[in-house]
Amino acid sequence: MSLRFARFLSTTPTLRANYGFIGLGQMGQHMARHIYAKMEPSDKLYVFDTVPEATASFVDTVTQQKPEAKSQLHTLDAIPKFVTDVDAQLDFIVSMVPEGKHVKGVVSELVDAYKKNPQTGSTTFLDSSTIDIPTSVEVHQMVKKELPEFDFIDTPVSGGVAGARKGTLSFMLSREDHKDVAPDLVKLLNMMGTNIFPCGKNHGAGLAAKLSNNYLLAVTNLAVADSFQLAKSFGLNLQHYAKLVSVSTGKSWASVDNCPIPGVYPENNLPADVGYKGGFITKLTKKDLVLATDCANQYDRALFLGPTARKWYLKACEREDLGSRDLGVLYEWLGELEEKNGEYVDKKTSESFKV
């Protein structure tokens, strides 16, 4: 369900908003681009990435698309400058970084800067990274202790790079219900996506939903690869089989929206049609699967398929050509394996291994 929020009615003045965005990688660059494209004339956006070239590329891209808003976009070269080098206190600072340690580092720097430069208002930190729940909870508690008026909310996303590019991401956040999501937060999230899912009142609920969903994706993707290899061994026409699956009980995102068989949906420009380039790469799927299984252990939840799936993804990611391509490449990889005497032989590398 998508919530929409009108910034102002005809009888009320325009409200100014100041946004910060940290992390302009594969996902972040598109998320920040949508904020830039949808800003009101009175808004401002401040951006930072640890790779200066990424920041420069972002600025060049978005200002060509919307040159009239160029004066509203500002680049920063250090985290503390989101506090010290802005025209007014930022309303929101979004982070999209690789791991929990990076989230903790970013927010710690921000908290220190705000403590050294006290503000009269409050800022909300939104973290859309996919990290472990305990680290996110720790960061949340640190923010509430050091800056009680501020907030840190986990807002991980689903939709991948394609969803970020199109502005159709789904946001999962630690709020009990839609009524608990502030209108200005709704507006910001709807700049970048189309769905907002409150997942629970306790901090970390958004991440819990994200990890549960991506655990399902990882396991389903492995099953889809296995199924299509089975169909291939039976001599079936795989394009026809894929269409059958799309309207049958085996239908899933991995079998249709990210079908691993080339040529089935050429109109959708799927990774399978370009050598599994782009998309949601295997090593990121592995990362989320490892996070999900680790967190399951911390919450005393036994996962019956998790340990096996984890071993397969870890093994696949030992090959860079598999780890750096879309997760649909597992279909291709399983076709390169041969079982001998209880072991698997990778025909491309001649390596033998057990899983």
Side-chain angles (χ1 to χ4, degrees):
M1 176 180 179
S2 177
L3 293 179
R4 297 289 175 184
F5 171 66
R7 171 187 280 270
F8 58 91
L9 302 177
S10 60
T11 57
T12 59
T14 302
L15 300 176
R16 174 177 174 173
N18 294 298
Y19 303 112
F21 203 101
I22 298 171
L24 301 172
Q26 288 272 328
M27 297 285 290
Q29 62 176 305
H30 298 298
M31 295 166 68
R33 174 172 57 84
H34 288 298
I35 296 175
Y36 174 83
K38 298 174 184 178
M39 287 192 300
E40 301 286 353
S42 58
D43 296 344
K44 290 190 177 180
L45 172 63
Y46 298 83
V47 298
F48 168 78
D49 193 277
T50 54
V51 180
E53 292 79 10
T55 304
S57 176
F58 172 79
V59 171
D60 183 60
T61 299
V62 300
T63 54
Q64 286 188 42
Q65 295 173 349
K66 189 179 179 182
E68 66 272 21
K70 188 174 182 178
S71 63
Q72 298 171 249
L73 177 64
H74 304 274
T75 62
L76 300 173
D77 59 10
I79 300 295
K81 292 186 178 181
F82 280 88
V83 180
T84 60
D85 289 30
V86 295
D87 290 343
Q89 183 174 356
L90 303 187
D91 300 293
F92 295 97
I93 300 177
V94 183
S95 56
M96 186 54 136
V97 296
E99 299 177 24
K101 63 182 180 182
H102 303 116
V103 174
K104 188 174 180 178
V106 164
V107 178
S108 294
E109 285 196 62
L110 289 170
V111 168
D112 288 343
Y114 277 114
K115 289 180 69 177
K116 293 176 182 176
N117 302 272
Q119 310 285 319
T120 57
S122 64
T123 297
T124 299
F125 305 133
L126 304 177
D127 181 45
S128 290
S129 318
T130 301
I131 65 172
D132 63 287
I133 299 171
T135 294
S136 187
V137 170
E138 179 187 350
V139 174
H140 173 76
Q141 292 173 342
M142 181 260 292
V143 170
K144 299 307 292 183
K145 177 183 177 181
E146 301 295 336
L147 300 169
E149 299 303 315
F150 286 49
D151 203 358
F152 173 83
I153 310 173
D154 53 316
T155 56
V157 300
S158 181
V161 175
R165 184 183 298 111
K166 297 174 185 176
T168 58
L169 293 172
S170 294
F171 285 88
M172 296 156 273
L173 60 158
S174 52
R175 289 293 182 268
E176 190 167 14
D177 206 342
H178 287 289
K179 62 180 173 54
D180 302 312
V181 186
D184 54 349
L185 174 55
V186 170
K187 175 169 178 65
L188 172 56
L189 298 181
N190 277 328
M191 286 177 164
M192 301 177 282
T194 54
N195 298 290
I196 297 173
F197 293 100
C199 298
K201 64 180 180 180
N202 295 327
H203 183 86
L207 278 169
K210 166 72 173 183
L211 294 179
S212 298
N213 178 76
N214 279 31
Y215 169 76
L216 177 60
L217 166 63
V219 173
T220 304
N221 178 66
L222 186 60
V224 166
D226 218 13
S227 171
F228 279 111
Q229 283 296 343
L230 177 63
K232 182 180 179 180
S233 71
F234 289 157
L236 301 183
N237 180 306
L238 294 183
Q239 282 74 26
H240 294 171
Y241 177 67
K243 291 289 188 179
L244 165 67
V245 171
S246 74
V247 293
S248 301
T249 53
K251 179 181 179 182
S252 67
W253 182 88
S255 66
V256 180
D257 301 85
N258 203 55
C259 181
I261 306 302
V264 180
Y265 304 104
E267 68 278 9
N268 293 340
N269 299 312
L270 296 182
D273 295 317
V274 289
Y276 304 99
K277 295 178 182 177
F280 190 48
I281 63 176
T282 309
K283 61 185 176 183
L284 289 182
T285 312
K286 177 208 71 175
K287 170 200 165 188
D288 291 356
L289 177 59
V290 169
L291 285 173
T293 52
D294 285 349
C295 286
N297 288 333
Q298 292 166 332
Y299 282 75
D300 295 321
R301 173 61 205 175
L303 292 175
F304 302 102
L305 300 178
T308 298
R310 176 170 172 154
K311 290 177 182 176
W312 280 103
Y313 278 92
L314 288 170
K315 176 54 67 174
C317 288
E318 290 179 6
R319 280 177 47 179
E320 178 61 25
D321 63 317
L322 299 175
S324 61
R325 287 192 286 166
D326 179 79
L327 73 166
V329 77
L330 289 196
Y331 160 74
E332 183 179 88
W333 180 51
L334 294 189
E336 298 170 350
L337 301 181
E338 185 177 42
E339 187 178 7
K340 288 184 178 181
N341 302 319
E343 291 189 339
Y344 295 95
V345 178
D346 189 326
K347 290 182 284 187
K348 187 170 184 177
T349 65
S350 298
E351 179 193 2
S352 297
F353 62 92
K354 289 184 178 181
V355 174

